[in-house]
Amino acid sequence: MLATTTTTSVTMEFFHCFERSGRWYLAAEPSIECYDLSDWNTHTRLLPLCCAAIVVYVIGIPALFATLLYRKRKSPLLLKIKCSAPPAGSPGDDPRSGGPGHQGQAAGSNHQ
């Protein structure tokens, strides 16, 4: 997941430009002029590649992992892990009784 975050950050850096003297320049490399579509400069040539990287790395990989996790949400391994936990409502699971194994009186009962 950390690699996806780093790749996303680097990909989005392509659009981080600043204005100087009425022209826009890439913040990471001030010698490259941004958004000048009248000239076939480095920024203009890399724009399609950057858009493809956004589709693949920023949108595609997280969507792929979300889809895989969603499809495997009822995996036998996950069900086995869930089944090994004590069933809800077993004696001693009532939070008002002081926790598991507590034999005391439940809170709020009027026992005289």
Side-chain angles (χ1 to χ4, degrees), residues 2 6 16 18 26 32 34 42-43 46 51 61 65 68 73 75 78 81-83 91 97 101 110-112:
L2 184 61
T6 304
H16 183 211
F18 66 94
L26 192 61
I32 297 176
C34 296
T42 304
H43 194 264
L46 293 176
C51 291
I61 290 176
F65 283 128
L68 291 174
R73 72 187 184 282
S75 167
L78 292 176
I81 292 170
K82 286 181 183 178
C83 291
S97 69
N110 292 327
H111 190 354
Q112 297 179 356

Side-chain angles (χ1 to χ4, degrees), residues 10-68:
V10 170
T11 303
M12 299 309 283
E13 193 173 304
F14 183 79
F15 297 103
H16 183 211
C17 298
F18 66 94
E19 185 179 10
R20 182 176 63 200
S21 303
R23 293 180 170 243
W24 290 88
Y25 295 93
L26 192 61
E29 180 57 51
S31 66
I32 297 176
E33 191 173 346
C34 296
Y35 311 124
D36 185 15
L37 299 178
S38 64
D39 183 22
W40 192 248
N41 63 11
T42 304
H43 194 264
T44 306
R45 284 193 314 257
L46 293 176
L47 186 61
L49 179 64
C50 184
C51 291
I54 288 174
V55 169
V56 171
Y57 293 110
V58 178
I59 299 168
I61 290 176
L64 172 68
F65 283 128
T67 302
L68 291 174

